[in-house]
Amino acid sequence: MKTEQLLTSTHWGTYEVETSGDKVTAMKPVPWDKNPSRIGQSMPDAITGNTRIRRPAVRLGYLKHGPDSREGRGKEPFVEVSWEEALSLVARDLQSVKARHGNEAIFGGSYGWGSAGRFHHVQSQLHRFLKGFGGYTASTNTYSSAAGERILPHIIGPLSPLHKKHTHFSVLAEHCEVFVAIGGLPVRNSQVNVGGASDHMLKHWLETMQGNGVKFINVSPVKNDLSAVSNAEWLPVRPGTDTALLLALCQTLVSENLHDQAFIDSHTVGFGPLRRYLSGETDGVVKNAAWAAPITGLSTEQITGLARTLASHRSMVNISWSIQRSRQGEQAYWATVALTALLGQIGTPGGGLAFGYACTNLAGADRVGFSGPRLPAGENKVKTEIPVARISDLLLNPGGEYQFDGQDCRYPDIRLVYWAGGNAFHHHQDLNRLVEAWRRPETVVVHEQYWTAQAKFSDIVLPATTVLERNDIGSGSHDGFMVAMRQHIPPVSEARDDYEIFSGLAEQLGFAEQFTENRDPDQWLRHIYEESRPRAEEDGITLPAFDDFWEQGKLEFERPSRPQIFLADFRADPEKHPLSTPSGKIELYSDTIAAFGYRECPGYPFWDPQEEQFQQEQAQTWPLHMLSSQPRSRLHSQYDHGSFSRSTKVQGREPVWMHPQDAAERGITEGSVVRVFNQRGAMLAGVHISDQILAGVVQISTGAWYDPQDPSTPGSLDKHGNPNVLTEDRGSSRLGQGCSAQSCKVEIERWEQPLPEITAFSPPPFCDRSE
Ligand SMILES: Nc1nc2c(c(=O)[nH]1)N[C@H]1C(S)=C(S)[C@@H](COP(=O)(O)OP(=O)(O)OC[C@H]3O[C@@H](n4cnc5c(=O)[nH]c(N)nc54)[C@H](O)[C@@H]3O)O[C@H]1N2
Ligand SMILES: Nc1nc2c(c(=O)[nH]1)N[C@H]1C(S)=C(S)[C@@H](COP(=O)(O)OP(=O)(O)OC[C@H]3O[C@@H](n4cnc5c(=O)[nH]c(N)nc54)[C@H](O)[C@@H]3O)O[C@H]1N2
Ligand SMILES: [Mo]
């Protein structure tokens, strides 16, 4: 049998794929990757394993009774049908909803990380398809950082472009003296980069910086968040209290006259109102270190000491995205901007601020910005969009009013949900509420590769190919590589490319030519490659002929000759290089935000005593603060059924980290299974006891597949450890309406009963249509 070694690209790395006949036998790291990810090792077995969706399937009740059977979602068996029948059902239902309720009644937000690959990127395919069909209700912003994405444009500029302009690690290694990491710098999270991560470099740079004498300070409830730096100082802050810490640092700087008045005068607006708030003139509370100490769990000396250290060194303050995935998450970002503006080091080599070094492999990479070919998008004729994390609200409250970043909005009446390339039963908060919401629309269509809970809870499930079963072009932003992603094996069973599925539907719906432009996938690859040529030229890259690229297997772009320093232009000349904020400067006070009139978001960075009191009340009954963090052994829920992820489980359940004291108080031992619960739900998890975590805080990775013991019973126990059965489904605030998963209180007890079998990775029951 012939063994070939060719490349593929995933969000977690580039691999040489070894095949033998129709089987993938190994995924080998590429030689230029400094710290390859093991997530790829999960793929070979998973792709052809039991969890794979093999044929189109329709829920029995739906096949027999259509939308009237919607309560049966997640409870009923599936009937496997032919592609022809499945596609006609989808086409019929799309047309019916459009005719009765218009295109706004179709929800195509379909958030999620899909696969790497520029052509088969499934959200792009879905959106292009639905646009061709007349439009759809969309979603806006991300689960990752919606609160940050919404506040930052008002005060310093939009997050995504800023993220790409971060100071290169090479500059930090030379100039930075103190690096404050709020939320740490977990190397596990830098395994991924959307669209591709070809050279994992964070560990290398942290070691270099440590070697150069940079002092690292880890501000996090979890010591392990900066485990790559052995001598990092740990400031174990209580979760959700970073804003209080940051405000106290600001107040200390001002009261000790350590702030940079010249920078404040030239580069910011609104220092007056901020100073009045810090000094207590506004509300009678001085936001000093003594005030923040009992809130944050740090000592007064630790806080004043940190302020002085920051002011007397070349200091970089990095805040991770996790901090803003919480109630009032916007404020921690604003307070970070304020603190670093007061320090006056923004735009210096090695100093200033950053939003998300280590959150992915992108920030700080000294690679060109070229993001590669892309599928032409087209225009969505429906203008309605919801904040991405308001999906349950949308489905539960058609016509309901809500506020969002200064706008008064109304939820449309959704009749059909079309999802491809995301897993709401992984990513959304309060899954029991989502189950209820998910049973409201008439029809739910999902394209999936695997029998995830989301697929099991849908009506029509269409099996999609994986990256290893199709040709594509891999090209992550700032990754520095373009990868010829070869098809390595034929499609598994009856799986089809999402493109082929949409082409078939467009054919039935009468807009095939518009959708396909008469190209097959390989012609599309050439087309989008050629279309990206002028953008590549702008980044100083001359692309070779497509055939040469395809033959070579990869392109590595030359590194930028000039190291990047975040906001250096703005620092040098704020008049010539203004920010995109209303004033062109950093806004320590924002007239725009003040004018929204939101109690929880006044015109300056704000610690909300009302939210603090709410959290304290919750803690009376649910004394442990649960963090749900990114998993080391997978991307979100992807490849949780793979060998690497499974090898990390404790008695088959997702591990939860607990402090020895919290475990002892509850009679809980290492390696046992516990029930984690609150007013919203309950799950089983496996215990890991560690003094790396602050007492009173527990941490569990996201992504264990939701596995309700009895899907017919509302609020049923999740057997597997999906933290979203416990998280609260409430926006960060009216400003960002972001995911607030990190604000979650729970209780934990021993599980004394026999362990229920894990069924998350089993396909649903199938039956004959006559049953
Ligand atoms: N509690 C809690 N919840 C969170 C977070 C948290 O911190 N705490 N973090 C949030 C964040 S930041 C994010 S980004 C979200 C992530 O949420 P998602 O991005 O929705 O999670 P994934 O597991 O990556 O889901 C991608 C799905 O797409 C499928 N897929 C992959 N490739 C293809 C393809 O080519 N075609 C088709 N049809 N399907 C494909 C995969 O099988 C998988 O089921 O989760 C959020 N949820
Ligand atoms: N391996 C892997 N890497 C990933 C992903 C994945 O699924 N797997 N997902 C990717 C995605 S989509 C995203 S958005 C990024 C997310 O990147 P982040 O949002 O930064 O990731 P998290 O792991 O949620 O959080 C990082 C750390 O923040 C700490 N933390 C949580 N709450 C608080 C708090 O209130 N205060 C302080 N000071 N610290 C706190 C936690 O201890 C946690 O370990 O990660 C990406 N990287
Ligand atoms: Mo994310």
Side-chain angles (χ1 to χ4, degrees):
M1 239 180 279
K2 190 168 144 242
T3 303
E4 288 187 281
Q5 280 203 343
L6 294 162
L7 300 181
T8 199
S9 174
T10 66
H11 298 305
W12 44 89
T14 301
Y15 299 89
E16 287 175 4
V17 183
E18 263 186 24
T19 54
S20 177
D22 288 356
K23 279 233 142 216
V24 175
T25 46
M27 303 273 290
K28 294 190 171 167
V30 286
W32 61 85
D33 189 343
K34 290 190 200 58
N35 187 23
S37 164
R38 287 173 64 193
I39 299 175
Q41 307 316 321
S42 280
M43 295 173 73
D45 290 344
I47 277 171
T48 47
N50 185 35
T51 315
R52 191 69 197 262
I53 304 177
R54 298 190 175 267
R55 273 169 288 280
V58 183
R59 183 171 57 76
L60 178 65
Y62 196 78
L63 205 54
K64 286 185 156 171
H65 310 291
D68 287 347
S69 71
R70 67 190 96 182
E71 277 300 321
R73 283 181 196 132
K75 304 176 192 168
E76 289 171 7
F78 280 82
V79 180
E80 293 188 320
V81 302
S82 67
W83 269 108
E84 202 188 349
E85 183 174 6
L87 292 183
S88 355
L89 281 177
V90 178
R92 180 198 72 185
D93 295 342
L94 278 168
Q95 261 168 333
S96 158
V97 167
K98 179 176 173 153
R100 285 178 292 123
H101 303 281
N103 281 76
E104 195 191 47
I106 300 168
F107 182 67
S110 185
Y111 182 83
W113 269 61
S115 304
R118 305 303 301 187
F119 174 66
H120 290 288
H121 180 249
V122 56
Q123 267 81 21
S124 309
Q125 290 286 353
L126 172 64
H127 293 157
R128 193 178 142 80
F129 166 76
L130 289 176
K131 283 169 186 168
F133 185 59
Y136 61 97
T137 292
S139 63
T140 181
N141 297 116
T142 61
Y143 273 82
S144 315
S145 44
E149 287 159 28
R150 283 287 159 174
I151 185 112
L152 291 180
H154 298 300
I155 59 172
I156 188 167
L159 176 60
S160 178
L162 288 183
H163 194 224
K164 290 169 186 154
K165 289 186 191 152
H166 274 37
T167 303
H168 285 161
F169 275 115
S170 52
V171 179
L172 289 174
E174 206 179 323
H175 298 280
C176 178
E177 293 173 337
V178 171
F179 191 114
V180 174
I182 306 175
L185 295 163
V187 171
R188 65 156 198 269
N189 287 357
S190 68
Q191 283 179 94
V192 314
N193 181 36
V194 63
S198 295
D199 180 13
H200 296 90
M201 44 78 199
L202 180 67
K203 187 162 170 279
H204 161 79
W205 283 117
L206 291 183
E207 283 164 6
T208 309
M209 287 166 71
Q210 191 184 4
N212 290 0
V214 178
K215 179 181 169 58
F216 283 88
I217 302 173
N218 176 26
V219 181
S220 171
V222 185
K223 185 174 183 210
N224 194 51
D225 280 343
L226 200 35
S227 56
V229 177
S230 53
N231 61 356
E233 184 183 336
W234 183 30
L235 291 184
V237 69
R238 281 199 194 119
T241 68
D242 304 86
T243 301
L245 169 64
L246 290 157
L247 291 172
L249 293 170
C250 290
Q251 166 62 12
T252 308
L253 293 180
V254 175
S255 69
E256 299 190 5
N257 207 19
L258 295 172
H259 59 297
D260 185 337
Q261 190 63 51
F263 184 85
I264 293 168
D265 291 342
S266 53
H267 288 76
T268 76
V269 296
F271 182 51
L274 173 65
R275 192 169 43 189
R276 287 194 286 281
Y277 175 63
L278 294 172
S279 68
E281 253 177 83
T282 313
D283 60 0
V285 181
V286 191
K287 313 299 174 308
N288 58 14
W291 163 78
I295 299 174
T296 57
L298 302 175
S299 68
T300 309
E301 294 70 36
Q302 279 174 313
I303 298 171
T304 49
L306 179 57
R308 291 170 198 150
T309 302
L310 283 167
S312 56
H313 291 85
R314 178 55 63 84
S315 304
M316 170 59 76
V317 179
N318 179 61
I319 185 155
S320 74
W321 299 343
S322 54
I323 317 297
Q324 53 79 66
R325 280 202 303 287
S326 67
R327 290 285 300 161
Q328 294 290 91
E330 295 85 357
Q331 302 305 323
Y333 268 42
W334 202 349
T336 301
V337 171
L339 170 67
T340 51
L342 265 54
L343 286 165
Q345 298 190 27
I346 293 171
T348 62
L353 83 166
F355 310 102
Y357 281 116
C359 289
T360 65
N361 196 43
L362 187 153
D366 54 346
R367 300 283 190 172
V368 287
F370 179 52
S371 63
R374 54 187 175 216
L375 192 68
E379 197 204 334
N380 187 358
K381 292 204 192 78
V382 175
K383 301 299 170 203
T384 318
E385 51 183 25
I386 62 152
V388 68
R390 303 277 54 81
I391 173 73
S392 292
D393 285 352
L394 165 74
L395 299 176
L396 290 168
N397 307 310
E401 291 174 3
Y402 66 100
Q403 288 172 307
F404 178 36
D405 201 2
Q407 308 155 58
D408 291 321
C409 312
R410 191 186 287 274
Y411 292 117
D413 184 359
I414 298 301
R415 301 298 173 122
L416 186 146
V417 171
Y418 204 132
W419 217 291
N423 183 359
F425 283 72
H426 153 71
H427 66 230
H428 195 55
Q429 287 55 67
D430 197 348
L431 289 180
N432 290 308
R433 186 166 184 258
L434 178 71
V435 166
E436 193 195 333
W438 200 255
R439 289 182 175 142
R440 296 288 171 93
E442 295 175 11
T443 304
V444 182
V445 184
V446 164
H447 296 195
E448 250 301 346
Q449 301 161 336
Y450 301 107
W451 278 112
T452 60
Q454 172 162 294
K456 289 178 189 171
F457 273 82
S458 299
D459 297 327
I460 305 175
V461 180
L462 304 178
T465 51
T466 70
V467 285
L468 296 171
E469 296 150 57
R470 58 202 189 201
N471 288 328
D472 212 335
I473 299 173
S475 183
S477 156
H478 288 64
D479 184 49
F481 289 82
M482 202 191 286
V483 179
M485 299 166 65
R486 303 285 190 114
Q487 178 180 354
H488 298 275
I489 54 169
V492 171
S493 293
E494 291 183 24
R496 288 188 182 175
D497 295 350
D498 297 288
Y499 175 68
E500 191 188 346
I501 303 174
F502 290 128
S503 303
L505 286 171
E507 173 86 53
Q508 296 206 17
L509 295 167
F511 63 99
E513 205 162 317
Q514 182 193 343
F515 181 73
T516 65
E517 299 181 16
N518 296 316
R519 291 190 193 94
D520 68 19
D522 287 344
Q523 289 167 329
W524 268 109
L525 295 192
R526 269 171 206 278
H527 177 72
I528 62 174
Y529 181 89
E530 290 306 331
E531 276 211 333
S532 76
R533 203 175 273 284
R535 278 188 294 115
E537 292 286 349
E538 279 169 30
D539 283 312
I541 298 166
T542 302
L543 293 175
F546 178 81
D547 290 319
D548 293 338
F549 155 63
W550 198 253
E551 196 56 38
Q552 273 162 252
K554 74 151 192 345
L555 305 175
E556 181 174 357
F557 308 128
E558 220 170 291
R559 284 159 194 271
S561 50
R562 217 162 51 97
Q564 179 167 284
I565 298 166
F566 190 44
L567 296 179
D569 288 357
F570 168 67
R571 180 183 187 83
D573 191 340
E575 312 302 329
K576 213 166 131 202
H577 303 284
L579 302 176
S580 57
T581 57
S583 60
K585 297 192 177 176
I586 293 171
E587 305 220 346
L588 303 176
Y589 181 89
S590 161
D591 288 324
T592 312
I593 295 176
F596 295 162
Y598 300 152
R599 184 206 60 78
E600 74 279 23
C601 301
Y604 44 83
F606 172 63
W607 174 254
D608 184 5
Q610 197 166 307
E611 181 63 27
E612 183 187 5
Q613 198 190 339
F614 174 79
Q615 295 296 336
Q616 280 169 1
E617 282 163 16
Q618 294 287 303
Q620 301 289 315
T621 321
W622 319 109
L624 299 170
H625 193 121
M626 183 189 76
L627 300 176
S628 44
S629 309
Q630 307 299 318
R632 163 173 72 92
S633 57
R634 54 186 179 258
L635 174 66
H636 315 128
S637 70
Q638 294 189 51
Y639 294 98
D640 187 35
H641 57 307
S643 52
F644 179 34
S645 181
R646 287 210 204 192
S647 73
T648 64
K649 310 259 171 174
V650 173
Q651 298 196 50
R653 330 282 139 164
E654 194 59 30
V656 62
W657 284 39
M658 296 184 78
H659 189 269
Q661 200 181 308
D662 293 323
E665 279 170 14
R666 293 165 178 79
I668 289 167
T669 51
E670 173 72 14
S672 63
V673 169
V674 287
R675 178 171 170 269
V676 189
F677 59 103
N678 63 16
Q679 69 271 50
R680 288 177 288 275
M683 66 177 183
L684 300 184
V687 173
H688 177 57
I689 298 175
S690 170
D691 59 6
Q692 300 259 314
I693 191 162
L694 185 63
V697 182
V698 298
Q699 186 181 37
I700 185 164
S701 294
T702 61
W705 287 15
Y706 174 58
D707 197 10
Q709 191 163 29
D710 174 10
S712 306
T713 312
S716 167
L717 174 78
D718 167 48
K719 300 180 282 182
H720 191 202
N722 185 320
N724 277 327
V725 297
L726 304 170
T727 50
E728 190 179 11
D729 184 13
R730 200 157 58 116
S732 51
S733 79
R734 284 175 286 181
L735 193 126
Q737 291 287 8
C739 155
S740 63
Q742 305 309 329
S743 302
C744 181
K745 304 277 203 246
V746 301
E747 179 53 292
I748 299 190
E749 65 183 17
R750 287 156 56 140
W751 177 257
E752 312 276 7
Q753 298 170 41
L755 277 179
E757 189 197 342
I758 301 284
T759 46
F761 305 132
S762 316
F766 294 107
C767 70
D768 200 85
R769 72 179 68 215
S770 58
E771 277 175 41

